[in-house]
Amino acid sequence: MDVSMGMWVATILGLSALIAVDFFIGRKPHDVSVKEAGIWTVVWIVLAALFGLGLLVFGESQASGEFFAGFITEKSLSVDNLFVFVLIMAKFAVPSHLQQRVLLIGVLIALVLRAIFIAAGAAIIASFSWVFYIFGAFLIYTAWKLIQEARSDDEEDEFEENRLLKSIENRFGVADKYHGTKLFIRNNGKRVMTPLMVVMLAIGTTDVLFALDSIPAIFGLTQDPYIVFTANAFALMGLRQLYFLIGGLLKKLVHLSYGLSVILGFIGVKLVLHALHESGVHVPEISIPVSLAVICGVLVITTITSLIASKKQAEREAAEGAEKSAKDSVEA
């Protein structure tokens, strides 16, 4: 898709305006209700859909298909990332009324980091076509790793701070409690970070790791930097509201990792086939409609099987609880 500099500027200004509106709405710390989160989640999804349809009407059908495939993929990966956000909030005991501010700033940091990754990825792809082999192999490896983690009995129930975050904490120091929305305070004459600043950095820097699989994944669906950037932007901007909407449902998506592993593995194979085609090898390439159908199909099946498995697990736990209560009553 041929995108002019004016189109880039208009898009960035439009996204900046949307971010400003989001910031204005969430500027006052408060507990986000399910109703508020649900309304704004729908708003962001509708805006993304309108943008995709706009590409179809004013651009190209292929660009529209690539956007929707990329958006859905990035959104599904973002839902998986929410598990880590929950762990971070629990690790730092973030007050509920401050969580929306943490997520808002964290998403802004993520957008900047993604833009840098996308620019670097586009430059590398433009210069070295063989990088598709690396991207494809990495996604297939990531898919296998996700399956191994999903099958493991060990559950990660605590967030571990990365080295960068620890070094920043050691450099500036951290206050022993939250001070509203303040990011820095004076403590014994020294300027130190508040726990709120640390949490924002934790979410922002953790997104670097998330980008390692999400950026290659979307480049497997489209090599257009404009589509890659806008799909990432729309997927991330509704992440804050999605956190409050499905936070309590995350544990029910027990098969999400399996679904994501299938999607990443599928895109990895697609990248390898594309790389072979670019090298002159006559192999079939997977079209965008097929990619979109596979991605949506896997997510629907994963959601259904997850809810069924969660319901059965809840019934087993209820039955075991009732049996234990009856046994204790008899013994008493």
Side-chain angles (χ1 to χ4, degrees):
M1 180 177 173
D2 187 18
V3 180
S4 65
M5 181 58 67
M7 185 65 173
W8 268 105
V9 172
T11 301
I12 293 174
L13 289 177
L15 292 173
S16 299
L18 292 174
I19 293 171
V21 170
D22 193 24
F23 185 84
F24 179 79
I25 294 170
R27 72 190 187 283
K28 184 178 180 181
H30 64 283
D31 292 327
V32 179
S33 65
V34 174
K35 180 180 179 180
E36 177 185 345
I39 291 174
W40 283 104
T41 296
V42 172
V43 167
W44 285 117
I45 292 176
V46 169
L47 287 173
L50 290 175
F51 181 83
L53 292 175
L55 291 175
L56 177 63
V57 175
F58 300 104
E60 305 170 359
S61 59
Q62 181 176 349
S64 178
E66 290 175 351
F67 171 80
F68 281 117
F71 172 74
I72 294 171
T73 299
E74 293 299 312
K75 202 69 173 178
S76 60
L77 289 170
S78 296
V79 171
D80 190 48
N81 297 345
L82 290 180
F83 284 102
V84 180
F85 289 177
V86 169
L87 295 177
I88 291 175
M89 295 293 188
K91 168 75 173 182
F92 295 99
V94 181
S96 59
H97 67 283
L98 292 178
Q99 290 183 4
Q100 54 88 23
R101 176 64 63 88
V102 170
L103 290 169
L104 178 60
I105 303 301
V107 167
L108 289 177
I109 296 174
L111 279 171
V112 174
L113 292 174
R114 293 295 177 93
I116 295 172
F117 272 99
I118 290 168
I124 293 173
I125 287 172
S127 302
F128 309 102
S129 60
W130 49 261
V131 77
F132 286 116
Y133 288 109
I134 298 176
F135 280 2
F138 178 76
L139 289 179
I140 294 172
Y141 168 76
T142 303
W144 175 81
K145 188 177 179 182
L146 274 176
I147 292 177
Q148 295 297 111
E149 291 176 354
R151 296 179 61 183
S152 174
D153 293 331
D154 298 327
E155 296 184 359
E156 184 180 1
D157 55 5
E158 186 175 351
F159 170 74
E160 293 293 336
E161 299 177 38
N162 55 58
R163 292 183 179 180
L164 176 60
L165 188 58
K166 288 181 179 179
S167 65
I168 294 175
E169 290 179 12
N170 293 332
R171 170 66 178 81
F172 292 97
V174 183
D176 58 355
K177 64 178 182 179
Y178 287 88
H179 294 264
T181 58
K182 292 182 179 180
L183 303 181
F184 289 90
I185 63 166
R186 288 283 178 181
N187 186 15
N188 296 325
K190 181 182 178 182
R191 194 165 183 256
V192 299
M193 297 189 301
T194 64
L196 185 64
M197 182 65 176
V198 177
V199 178
M200 289 179 179
L201 290 175
I203 288 181
T205 55
T206 301
D207 189 71
V208 175
L209 300 177
F210 296 156
L212 291 178
D213 53 29
S214 66
I215 296 302
I218 195 170
F219 269 117
L221 298 169
T222 175
Q223 286 80 61
D224 189 330
Y226 182 77
I227 302 299
V228 173
F229 175 73
T230 51
N232 265 275
F234 277 105
L236 284 173
M237 284 194 297
L239 192 59
R240 178 170 67 91
Q241 291 83 2
L242 195 62
Y243 171 87
F244 294 105
L245 180 64
I246 68 171
L249 299 176
L250 285 175
K251 291 184 178 179
K252 293 185 178 182
L253 300 177
V254 293
H255 295 160
L256 180 61
S257 292
Y258 291 105
L260 292 178
S261 67
V262 172
I263 292 173
L264 291 178
F266 169 77
I267 297 175
V269 172
K270 184 178 185 297
L271 273 171
V272 172
L273 291 175
H274 178 74
L276 289 170
H277 182 78
E278 290 291 311
S279 300
V281 180
H282 296 290
V283 293
E285 285 202 88
I286 302 173
S287 66
I288 287 299
V290 171
S291 299
L292 192 56
V294 170
I295 293 168
C296 292
V298 169
L299 290 176
V300 169
I301 293 172
T302 298
T303 301
I304 293 174
T305 58
S306 293
L307 294 177
I308 292 174
S310 296
K311 183 179 180 180
K312 290 182 178 179
Q313 178 65 26
E315 291 174 349
R316 283 196 299 268
E317 291 177 354
E320 291 174 358
E323 183 179 350
K324 185 176 185 301
S325 297
K327 183 177 179 181
D328 292 342
S329 298
V330 172
E331 291 178 352

